[in-house]
Amino acid sequence: MPLQAVESQRLYRQIAEQLRGLISQGEFAAGSRLPAERDLARQLGVSRPSVREALIALEVEGWVEVRIGSGIYARPHNGAGPNGHGRTNGQSSQVGPAEWGPLELMRARELVEGEVAALAARHARRPQIHAIACALDRMREQAAAGVVPREGDEDFHAAVADACGNEVLRDTVRGYWHARSGPLFERMSDYFENPASWSAALLEHDDVLEAIRAHEPAAAREAMHHHLQRATSRYSASWRRANSS
């Protein structure tokens, strides 16, 4: 069964569904290597990061095994992955209820959180700026202790949102972080977050804080845009760069 070009809506799920179907029908036998990421992207008419996102979703579901430096291999499958995901009554499996694709989520965050940062620079008072600074200090402490500073990262972005003066935007940002707790995003983080990426992220967060502290909305917007653009680039990295220092 040939691969078909896919539409952009819920892109990684469409890609994953096609590949899942090929595996379940025996087009890719258990233990066999799937085509290279660049070949899948060309046949599907999508970007390589979108293919990568779908492959990681299939890994979470137990349909494939990712071997960095070797390739992606179909796994023996009985219709339900190790996390309880699989095809049911002909319907496509999902990594989690209403989970957004990580790359799509990051692009949405860039649009929204840039404006949130600008509003925070305009409205933040001393206690709110202190809360943002404390969250950044927490990130630094966690990173220095060899702990992935995801909690401090969430606290930082939540504190910026708290300072923006708009409850809807505050709740929207917190919703992004709730979506980020899903297994697909966590697995991508395992691949593409490392000490070097967090070191860069800390500097980017510091730029956001300094712009808010200086009450410069345009600079705060630009700093947040830069941070989230770089974060998206890190999540779009090649497999070869995954978990490299």
Side-chain angles (χ1 to χ4, degrees), residues 77-127:
H77 215 277
N78 60 6
N83 295 309
H85 301 289
R87 296 172 63 91
T88 304
N89 298 325
Q91 299 298 316
S92 64
S93 67
Q94 297 182 359
V95 175
E99 182 163 334
W100 299 325
L103 297 179
E104 189 175 41
L105 174 61
M106 294 300 293
R107 296 184 189 105
R109 287 186 60 198
E110 180 187 336
L111 291 172
V112 173
E113 293 194 51
E115 296 309 310
V116 168
L119 287 171
R122 188 172 291 119
H123 298 297
R125 298 180 181 275
R126 185 173 298 175

Side-chain angles (χ1 to χ4, degrees), residues 147-165:
V147 176
V148 175
R150 293 176 190 166
E151 290 182 5
D153 189 23
E154 179 176 358
D155 290 345
F156 179 91
H157 287 273
V160 173
D162 287 342
C164 82

Side-chain angles (χ1 to χ4, degrees), residues 24-102:
S24 65
Q25 294 167 25
E27 294 284 341
F28 299 125
S32 65
R33 187 167 64 182
L34 273 64
E37 181 185 281
R38 64 179 177 275
D39 296 328
L40 290 172
R42 184 178 64 253
Q43 293 178 61
L44 291 161
V46 299
S47 69
R48 291 178 65 172
S50 294
V51 170
R52 193 172 309 125
E53 199 172 33
L55 291 170
I56 293 173
L58 291 174
E59 182 192 24
V60 170
E61 298 172 8
W63 288 89
V64 301
E65 178 184 358
V66 176
R67 303 177 190 171
I68 301 296
S70 177
I72 312 296
Y73 293 81
R75 292 187 59 185
H77 215 277
N78 60 6
N83 295 309
H85 301 289
R87 296 172 63 91
T88 304
N89 298 325
Q91 299 298 316
S92 64
S93 67
Q94 297 182 359
V95 175
E99 182 163 334
W100 299 325

Side-chain angles (χ1 to χ4, degrees), residues 216-236:
E216 297 179 354
R221 180 188 296 111
E222 178 60 28
M224 185 65 81
H225 281 167
H226 175 72
H227 164 51
L228 292 174
Q229 287 167 359
R230 296 304 304 153
T232 300
S233 296
R234 289 189 282 268
Y235 277 101
S236 301

